[in-house]
Amino acid sequence: MPHLNILNRQRGLWLAGVLAMLPPLGAAAEEPADLAALQAALAADASATTVPASTSGGESPLMPSISLIFDGAAAWFSDRDNLQQGGHDPTRTGFNLQQLELHLESNVDPYLHFAANIVWGPDGVELEEGFAESTSLPGNLQVKAGKFLNPFGRLNPTHPHAWHFVDAPFALTKMLGADGSRGLGTEFAWLAPLPWFLEVRVAVSHPDPDTGRSFVGTAAKPVHTFGDLVWTGNVRQFFALNDDWSLYWGLSTQQGTGPASASDTTQIYASDLYLRWRPVENVDRSALSVQMEGLWRRRDWIGRQMDDWAGYVQAVGEINPRWEVGGRTELGSGVTDDPLDPAWTGKRHRHTVQLTYYPSHFARLRLQGSLDMPSWRPEPIYACMLALETVIGAHGAHSY
Amino acid sequence: MKKLMWILMFLAFPAHAAPLHVVATLPSLAAIAQDIGGPLVQVEALTSPRQDPHYADAKPNLIVTLNRADVLILNGLELEVGWLPPLILQSRNGKIQKGALGYLDAAQFVHLLGVPKGAIDRAMGDVHPGGNPHFLSDPRAGARIAVGVGGLLARVDPSHATQYQQNAANLAQQLDALAKAETARFAQLPANRRNLVVYHDSLTYLVDWLGLRQTATLEPRPGIAPNPQHVAEVLQAMKTAAIPVIAQEEFYPQNTAKTLTQLAHAKLVVLPGGARFPAESYLAHIKSLADGLYDGLKP
């Protein structure tokens, strides 16, 4: 009875854990016979959970996995007063440091995994992420605590290394923040017991202006109560249509107190879709993916209600391990007299194309051109960027 | 006889007991587990034999598969490092987390080749620090892994320990016998027909098993795509030494190898990337590997 055996072992571990939190045996009021039985059970569990070595060589003992990722770009803008908002975006003509990211991760113990991203950027050094995550809670739950990117949409929880364009879509930098939506907090994720992948995530986090600009948390309006924290909800489903085609769909929301006053609220709703075609048998590892995200935001702002929306659609063709090409189009609305973006009064279109060359799996050169057409500016803004990324250290895994 | 054994095992297996859910990263590992577990296990492979296991997509449906696994068997030596670790973490399955009873890294059972000596860095290419991870093309490694998998299944499901261990021992014996027979067959080839060029350093164990000599790789360094200068050097070397064969798995690009074999009057041997699980056993896969290579090398 394999399952029963494993179940017994898990029960034994729970029992051992519960007993560890109790006063020492003998101090409590158990009967001697019970004590003997419990001690025997603990001893049996200790021997049953001793497992033989199960990993191969190649890893330094007890060293976390460490990698260092550099992103920098040479850029040209037709207008010095460009509209780049992202914390990792090239923002000026000339050379731009996008980030130098130190990534560390390791298991803490059999129950927790820890990961950290420490980022050197134009404004100094910052702990971008640093969080512990459970590995095996019952009920298909997973809990994360620390500082992390909120589970909102498809691109927000990722880092520039996983992006297919040099800069972030303006939908995200305008509504979530220059560095996306992240903060100190906790997240609960539940994997539904279904034949396909359906995951529900709920996070509560502490906003600040760079990582939650649509919410309270500025120096003038700091978080005062638990009611000021930002709540993020996300439901994701994945459908493997066949071996080659797959579809990933998500719905997200963020709710919290607005930046102006405690009685104001901000709500953001979004949906994202990722369709990928990668023929498993293609020796060139060719793939084509289409990704889109749309966001809608409602803000109460001192007696006024403001609604706006923004989104993007991108297509990326991975021709072979060396070459990739992509295009992205973005569209967003504006609000007159928006206190966060006072100049952004109307629609903004931006079209971007990129060509990427990978000398190896650990480096890339990306040439990108864009045409930005904000309706409130008389002239479009042209931009051209050549970005370099290098990765040293551990080979990180790629999320889907 | 083998069929009768399975029938007896099936009758002895209680109808209400669910089979052990075994997940293997590679189809050859899945085939080994299936050969050993028979009807006592339900085996799934996370990748296809036609897929380069370095570069699988970490599809979220694999999280669901891993969530329900009693046992995870992986190749190890960082072969799956680009996609497997986040899937294991997100599976929320304590049975298959690293260090748990149901987590088995197959590389621990293998006499490793290609273990780097001294300091390494990526100027040397995508070198695996623990050693060459492509050992599943060698039945001697497969035999040792079979015994390890049998031991694991016996620990996870002690009520059928004897069956698992016996089946593992039988499979190991068959693999060892095949290994010896093929070594002897390849030894009959003339010395100049025992040299070959490969695409990637992924046939190192196969070459070692069959007493062959790998004279070059089309990749200038592991994981770095062939470049004209290096390919020209390989062509010259092939012509000079009259290398008869370029061998590579089916998941590597073939254009360069096709051109080179035409220019050097050699043969291109495209080998299966793994067992055609579940249709093919590991033993049959190894036999097809040896036959394919032999057909290419024989005069």
Side-chain angles (χ1 to χ4, degrees), chain A residues 202-244:
Chain A
V202 176
V204 56
S205 60
H206 199 109
D208 71 45
D210 283 338
T211 59
R213 70 192 305 253
S214 299
F215 299 95
V216 73
T218 60
K221 290 281 178 191
V223 169
H224 281 307
T225 69
F226 282 119
D228 292 336
L229 300 178
V230 172
W231 288 83
T232 305
N234 177 253
V235 180
R236 307 200 69 73
Q237 294 191 77
F238 178 82
F239 305 98
L241 305 175
N242 57 35
D243 285 347
D244 300 341

Side-chain angles (χ1 to χ4, degrees), chain A residues 31-250:
Chain A
E31 294 294 322
D34 293 341
L35 291 179
L38 289 171
Q39 281 165 337
L42 282 170
D45 286 335
S47 63
T49 51
T50 302
V51 294
S54 59
T55 54
S56 54
E59 297 161 22
S60 305
L62 298 181
M63 278 292 286
S65 166
I66 301 172
S67 52
L68 194 62
I69 302 165
F70 169 83
D71 287 283
W76 168 82
F77 293 92
S78 63
D79 189 333
R80 185 184 297 173
D81 186 19
N82 63 66
L83 301 176
Q84 300 288 92
Q85 284 183 307
H88 299 300
D89 290 356
T91 54
R92 62 184 185 186
T93 294
F95 292 99
N96 294 262
L97 170 65
Q98 293 178 268
Q99 67 156 4
L100 179 67
E101 177 185 310
L102 177 66
H103 176 82
L104 303 104
E105 69 172 279
S106 178
N107 285 325
V108 176
D109 56 28
Y111 320 110
L112 290 174
H113 182 267
F114 182 83
N117 294 297
I118 300 158
V119 170
W120 284 258
D123 301 324
V125 183
E126 184 192 18
L127 175 65
E128 192 173 81
E129 288 193 288
F131 61 87
E133 193 169 15
S134 67
T135 58
S136 50
L137 285 181
N140 278 350
L141 278 173
Q142 191 156 38
V143 178
K144 189 188 272 191
K147 192 174 186 183
F148 53 85
L149 289 155
N150 278 316
F152 186 96
R154 174 159 176 81
L155 204 64
N156 184 68
T158 65
H159 293 261
H161 175 57
W163 298 354
H164 290 280
F165 294 86
V166 179
D167 46 11
F170 64 66
L172 274 59
T173 54
K174 183 187 185 194
M175 295 198 183
L176 305 182
D179 288 345
S181 172
R182 62 183 164 87
L184 281 161
T186 186
E187 177 188 301
F188 297 84
W190 176 66
L191 180 67
L194 294 169
W196 73 95
F197 177 85
L198 190 158
E199 189 179 57
V200 181
R201 290 178 180 261
V202 176
V204 56
S205 60
H206 199 109
D208 71 45
D210 283 338
T211 59
R213 70 192 305 253
S214 299
F215 299 95
V216 73
T218 60
K221 290 281 178 191
V223 169
H224 281 307
T225 69
F226 282 119
D228 292 336
L229 300 178
V230 172
W231 288 83
T232 305
N234 177 253
V235 180
R236 307 200 69 73
Q237 294 191 77
F238 178 82
F239 305 98
L241 305 175
N242 57 35
D243 285 347
D244 300 341
W245 286 90
S246 52
L247 185 69
Y248 204 13
W249 175 48

